[in-house]
Amino acid sequence: MTEAIVRSAAEHELPELLKLYRHLHQHDPELETAAAERVWSTLLASSFMTVIVAQAAEQLVSSCTLAIVPNLTRGGRSYGVIENVVTHADYRRLGLGRRVLAHALDVAWQADCYKVSLATGSKRETTLRFYEEAGFQRGGKTYFEVRRP
């Protein structure tokens, strides 16, 4: 396993995080700096959001975002949603993505979440097994989405 520190992202790491996200959605247009900085400030200021990163060899190499959503069911226990799971192409299959997800789950359980959800658009069996090996169950619920036209 590669030596890495897993932690919450720091304010100054926005440029490096945006660079890492190119490994997630390489065909997305680059976000304008002012827009990225506005979103980043909102993320960092929110008590509901945590951006988790793995740092190895002085660079960010894996990340995910955890939203903890307050809830009026399940005894008032929150639930978590994980998005934007990414590992730099040169650092895949080294356990870093799994460590980032484990850290996100630790944060969620410490916040007394009753569940954590994660969705993927990937149909690749290796990706689906990766999430299962990280503790997520396939087929637990049916997931639907609507995208803005």
Side-chain angles (χ1 to χ4, degrees), residues 21 36 39 63-64 66 68 74 76-78 92-93 96 104 107 110 115 119 121 123 130 137-138 141 149:
Y21 283 157
V39 172
S63 181
C64 73
L66 170 68
I68 295 178
R74 304 291 182 165
R77 293 173 69 196
S78 298
R92 291 183 182 152
R93 302 194 191 304
L96 297 169
V107 171
Q110 288 173 21
K115 73 173 182 179
K123 305 290 186 234
F130 162 75
Q137 292 182 345
R138 193 185 319 195
K141 283 194 170 188

Side-chain angles (χ1 to χ4, degrees), residues 1-4 56 91 94 96 99:
M1 186 178 297
T2 297
E3 206 170 306
Y91 288 85
L94 300 174
L96 297 169
R99 287 183 57 199

Side-chain angles (χ1 to χ4, degrees), residues 30 40 42 57 74 77 103 105 126 145:
E30 288 194 36
W40 188 235
T42 301
R74 304 291 182 165
R77 293 173 69 196
H103 188 86
L105 291 174
T126 54
E145 74 176 9

Side-chain angles (χ1 to χ4, degrees), residues 58-69:
E58 302 300 317
Q59 67 176 334
L60 299 186
V61 295
S62 190
S63 181
C64 73
T65 301
L66 170 68
I68 295 178
V69 183

Side-chain angles (χ1 to χ4, degrees), residues 24 63-64 82-87 97-98 101 105 117-138:
L24 180 61
S63 181
C64 73
I82 293 176
E83 275 287 332
N84 297 330
V85 179
V86 61
T87 299
R98 193 170 294 120
L101 289 172
L105 291 174
S117 301
L118 177 150
T120 180
S122 177
K123 305 290 186 234
R124 292 184 2 210
E125 191 59 33
T126 54
T127 301
L128 303 178
R129 274 198 312 271
F130 162 75
Y131 288 122
E132 287 175 325
E133 290 167 4
F136 293 86
Q137 292 182 345
R138 193 185 319 195

Side-chain angles (χ1 to χ4, degrees), residues 26-87:
Q26 54 198 342
H27 300 295
D28 274 3
E30 288 194 36
L31 200 53
E32 292 181 17
T33 302
E37 288 172 349
R38 269 193 313 279
V39 172
W40 188 235
S41 292
T42 301
L43 276 169
L44 293 177
S46 172
S47 61
F48 301 122
M49 303 296 294
T50 305
V51 177
I52 297 159
V53 296
Q55 178 184 357
E58 302 300 317
Q59 67 176 334
L60 299 186
V61 295
S62 190
S63 181
C64 73
T65 301
L66 170 68
I68 295 178
V69 183
N71 185 27
L72 290 172
T73 65
R74 304 291 182 165
R77 293 173 69 196
S78 298
Y79 59 91
V81 179
I82 293 176
E83 275 287 332
N84 297 330
V85 179
V86 61
T87 299

